[in-house]
Amino acid sequence: MRKVEIYKISWYPILVFMFSGMVILFILFWDVQGIPEHPFVFIIGLILSFVILGYSFYLWRKRKQGKGFSWDDKGIVIDLKGNKVYWEEIEDIKFYKSSVTNMKSTVIYPHYTNHEKIRLRNKKLMPTPAHSIEWYLIEKPKEMHNHLMNTWEEKKPLGKNSN
């Protein structure tokens, strides 16, 4: 078995979310005397800033814990909770680039007969037809995708050769 390389969470989204949450808080408290005039806007802004800051601290904690995206001889870790999709359950793995947002991701497509099995194993309410690993979250996304595709070519069942 090869050494498992973990692709950690990038500092970029952590710092962007943290900065954004702090800026929203700063703007909210810029005019303290105006808060009673617009309490609804203040409360919504406060909730939004805490959600954004909370997500940045969540990503930071996961990075400190050494969590990330990886794969081994059994399967691919698809989220920061450590949930896996096993190699024999995967039908295809593709690169996806959104034309609208220009976001890039690696998408793992399990075979439709495995959706329920994956849902139960990962304790989800609804089955997921595809698992997306967003590139903005990963420190070395291009390297991760290339290594994953090379590994997928080795692990892919014989009957599933690409076009």
Side-chain angles (χ1 to χ4, degrees), residues 90-94 107-111 149 152 156 160:
I90 298 173
E91 182 172 22
D92 202 6
I93 299 175
K94 293 184 180 178
V107 184
I108 300 158
Y109 297 97
H111 193 270
M149 292 308 290
W152 169 238
K156 188 187 314 187
K160 294 183 183 175

Side-chain angles (χ1 to χ4, degrees), residues 103-121:
M103 299 279 283
K104 299 174 185 174
S105 60
T106 299
V107 184
I108 300 158
Y109 297 97
H111 193 270
Y112 74 93
T113 58
N114 297 314
H115 290 182
E116 186 66 15
K117 187 178 0 173
I118 295 168
R119 181 192 75 80
L120 291 172
R121 185 174 60 242

